[in-house]
Amino acid sequence: MTQFTNVNINTKANIYFDGKVTSRTVEFQDGTRKTLGIMLPGDYEFSTSQKEEMDIQAGILEYKVNGQEWKKIENSGVFYVPANESFLLKVHSVVDYCCSYLTEED
Amino acid sequence: MTQFTNVNINTKANIYFDGKVTSRTVEFQDGTRKTLGIMLPGDYEFSTSQKEEMDIQAGILEYKVNGQEWKKIENSGVFYVPANESFLLKVHSVVDYCCSYLTEED
């Protein structure tokens, strides 16, 4: 079982799209943070303030970062979204993800 | 912002009812564990192996522990379920909960 160890976690969830997208914020000892989230089937648009790494741990989705083509991830895969950018998602089956908030140098 | 500090968290989610109920497992330094979860509107039945404390942090639901009456929680409230028991839930709006797994002495 993979774990994040010695972290802090916010007890309240982040809830979007009537609960079809939810996440939990995790803070690491070095001050970085990630969110662990669930997305139910549906079409969503998000925008970033920081660069994001989206690590898909389970599920099937298509994603389109602004200015790029649609791409598909089945079961596992990673994509990146620059800071201050938008991206579209078509979630086909329940997605379990980990989002890391990065600096531009990462 | 309320947090659990210096905990371990499983990176993969627990997914039930096609993702309408999901949770994340948190382990504390003393070996106890809790799950932080989301339930979307719907009717659910669960059963316990340990005694459980269900702390509702947001949302509206009715619950019925086996042998008891239906009761309602709006926005916040706590209920307990004995070990090896079943309970029914009618979730009316998205519920954000924290479930603690207790010993019979708790």
Side-chain angles (χ1 to χ4, degrees):
Chain A
M1 176 64 69
T2 306
Q3 291 189 319
F4 296 136
T5 55
N6 293 310
V7 297
N8 302 333
I9 181 166
N10 294 353
T11 53
K12 294 208 81 169
N14 313 305
I15 300 177
Y16 311 97
F17 299 104
D18 294 326
K20 292 181 72 178
V21 179
T22 59
S23 71
R24 306 266 173 193
T25 303
V26 177
E27 287 183 359
F28 290 75
Q29 299 294 329
D30 64 1
T32 58
R33 69 197 167 91
K34 299 180 192 288
T35 52
L36 289 168
I38 294 287
M39 296 189 288
L40 270 64
D43 294 348
Y44 309 105
E45 178 168 8
F46 296 95
S47 56
T48 61
S49 51
Q50 281 181 259
K51 181 178 175 182
E52 294 183 11
E53 176 192 271
M54 282 288 285
D55 181 2
I56 308 306
Q57 308 185 105
I60 300 172
L61 60 71
E62 291 173 271
Y63 67 94
K64 183 185 187 310
V65 177
N66 191 18
Q68 301 181 17
E69 298 296 303
W70 283 97
K71 291 169 193 162
K72 190 170 191 177
I73 291 177
E74 297 188 63
N75 304 319
S76 70
V78 176
F79 66 95
Y80 294 86
V81 186
N84 304 306
E85 195 53 270
S86 63
F87 61 107
L88 300 170
L89 295 179
K90 292 181 194 291
V91 174
H92 298 292
S93 74
V94 182
V95 164
D96 182 8
Y97 71 87
C98 178
C99 178
S100 300
Y101 299 90
L102 307 176
T103 61
E104 288 303 313
E105 294 73 40
D106 284 320
Chain B
M1 176 63 69
T2 307
Q3 290 190 320
F4 295 136
T5 55
N6 293 311
V7 296
N8 301 333
I9 181 167
N10 294 353
T11 53
K12 294 208 82 170
N14 312 306
I15 300 177
Y16 311 98
F17 298 104
D18 294 326
K20 293 181 74 179
V21 178
T22 58
S23 71
R24 305 268 174 195
T25 303
V26 177
E27 286 183 359
F28 291 74
Q29 299 294 328
D30 65 1
T32 59
R33 67 197 169 88
K34 299 179 191 287
T35 52
L36 289 168
I38 294 286
M39 295 189 289
L40 270 64
D43 294 348
Y44 308 106
E45 179 168 7
F46 295 95
S47 56
T48 61
S49 51
Q50 281 181 258
K51 182 178 175 183
E52 294 184 10
E53 176 192 271
M54 282 288 286
D55 181 2
I56 308 306
Q57 310 185 105
I60 300 172
L61 61 71
E62 292 173 272
Y63 67 94
K64 184 186 186 312
V65 177
N66 191 19
Q68 301 181 17
E69 298 296 303
W70 282 97
K71 293 170 191 159
K72 190 170 190 176
I73 291 177
E74 298 189 61
N75 304 319
S76 69
V78 175
F79 66 95
Y80 293 86
V81 187
N84 304 307
E85 197 51 272
S86 64
F87 61 108
L88 300 170
L89 296 179
K90 292 181 194 291
V91 175
H92 297 293
S93 73
V94 183
V95 163
D96 182 8
Y97 71 88
C98 178
C99 178
S100 300
Y101 298 89
L102 307 176
T103 62
E104 287 305 312
E105 293 73 42
D106 285 319

